[in-house]
Amino acid sequence: MLKRPIAAAATLAAALLVLCVALCAVVLVRAGREPSRITALGARAYAGHDRGAKWELHLLALAGRPRANLMIGEATLDGAAGVPPAEGLPYLRRAAEAGDRTAQRVLGKALLRGRGGIAKEPSEASRWLQAAAEAGDPAAAYYLGVLYRTPGVPGHSLSEAIPWLRRAADQHLPAALFVLGNAYRSGAGVAMDERKALDCYTEAAELDHPESIQALAMAYQQGELGLAVDPEKAAELIRDLEHAIHDAPANP
């Protein structure tokens, strides 16, 4: 008597398994054809609290899609996943190991700064930031320069920081231009050069970087960096600073 119910249950289980596999295949195929779909899923999963989108995103991460792992990892660091931020690190590591340079930068920055309260790991941070920087990510190059300029960090060296800061500055990253300008101004890790410092501050100021605008205003007020004292120019820059504070470029 039990054979028929057992057989029926087994048939139903097999059908459900086939259906599940088919649904998974559809999700993977759609994501392959529409790469932007993963980004949309991330927004729906965490900003929109869409459980179905979250399920799809995790399925894609399990299938090894770097962008899905990146989105889950970053959302977890931000606290949007409702779990401890450190639980996002394995997702970011998988994406970083797959060569996703954004994941490499996000992971490196998180380990450098201790984002979300996770433990700082400067050695691992250096590894990922360098990988992303060598792949052309200017923000990663900037943070690698910051890492080398941080006292107490293994490999701390002001001179080692300069090439990475230059690489980021060459890609017009305002924060890197400002830090590089400071280095030229003080001779920290590089020969002192007020002309180059002025050039860095000027370029960053043109990109609405508040600290650089302030540095230029002070230079005109006090006649520094080879500039003549010019109260009118200083006042103009202070007015620009007020606007730049509202329109400042986002942190890299």
Side-chain angles (χ1 to χ4, degrees):
M1 294 292 293
L2 291 175
K3 289 183 179 180
R4 288 183 180 177
I6 291 173
T11 301
L12 178 60
L16 289 173
L17 179 60
V18 170
L19 178 60
C20 183
V21 170
L23 287 172
C24 291
V26 169
V27 169
L28 294 173
V29 169
R30 286 185 67 184
R33 290 177 178 172
E34 309 168 46
S36 62
R37 177 173 172 75
I38 295 179
T39 301
L41 283 172
R44 285 167 46 201
Y46 296 109
H49 306 289
D50 183 327
R51 291 185 179 180
K54 188 177 291 187
W55 178 84
E56 285 190 52
L57 197 63
H58 278 266
L59 175 62
L60 290 164
L62 188 64
R65 298 298 173 88
R67 183 61 49 170
N69 276 291
L70 166 63
M71 298 206 73
I72 294 171
E74 193 162 21
T76 304
L77 283 183
D78 288 337
V83 296
E87 292 188 19
L89 295 181
Y91 293 97
L92 288 172
R93 286 192 176 102
R94 282 195 287 272
E97 287 164 359
D100 188 295
R101 82 176 197 185
T102 301
Q104 292 168 344
R105 185 234 306 148
V106 170
L107 178 57
K109 181 182 173 182
L111 294 170
L112 172 64
R113 294 289 177 84
R115 180 176 172 183
I118 66 173
K120 294 181 180 181
E121 297 287 349
S123 295
E124 186 182 356
S126 174
R127 170 193 170 194
W128 293 120
L129 289 172
Q130 183 165 342
E134 289 177 345
D137 190 301
Y142 164 69
Y143 282 111
L144 191 57
V146 169
L147 184 149
Y148 281 124
R149 288 173 61 84
T150 304
V153 167
H156 167 69
S157 168
L158 294 177
S159 60
E160 285 291 327
I162 297 300
W164 297 109
L165 291 172
R166 279 202 189 107
R167 186 178 296 208
D170 286 345
Q171 296 181 70
H172 315 292
L173 193 70
L177 286 160
F178 176 68
V179 174
L180 186 59
N182 288 343
Y184 281 124
R185 187 174 193 172
S186 63
V190 66
M192 186 182 296
D193 190 323
E194 290 189 339
R195 181 71 245 178
K196 288 183 178 179
L198 180 61
D199 289 344
C200 287
Y201 291 146
T202 301
E203 182 177 349
E206 289 170 352
L207 295 168
D208 292 327
H209 187 254
E211 290 87 346
S212 297
I213 295 173
Q214 185 174 27
L216 284 177
M218 294 295 292
Y220 276 109
Q221 281 180 346
Q222 300 176 19
E224 298 173 338
L225 300 178
L227 297 171
V229 173
D230 189 336
E232 290 185 6
K233 183 63 176 177
E236 179 186 333
L237 285 163
I238 292 298
R239 289 193 295 272
D240 290 344
L241 177 59
E242 294 173 0
H243 294 291
I245 288 172
H246 297 289
D247 302 323
N251 289 328

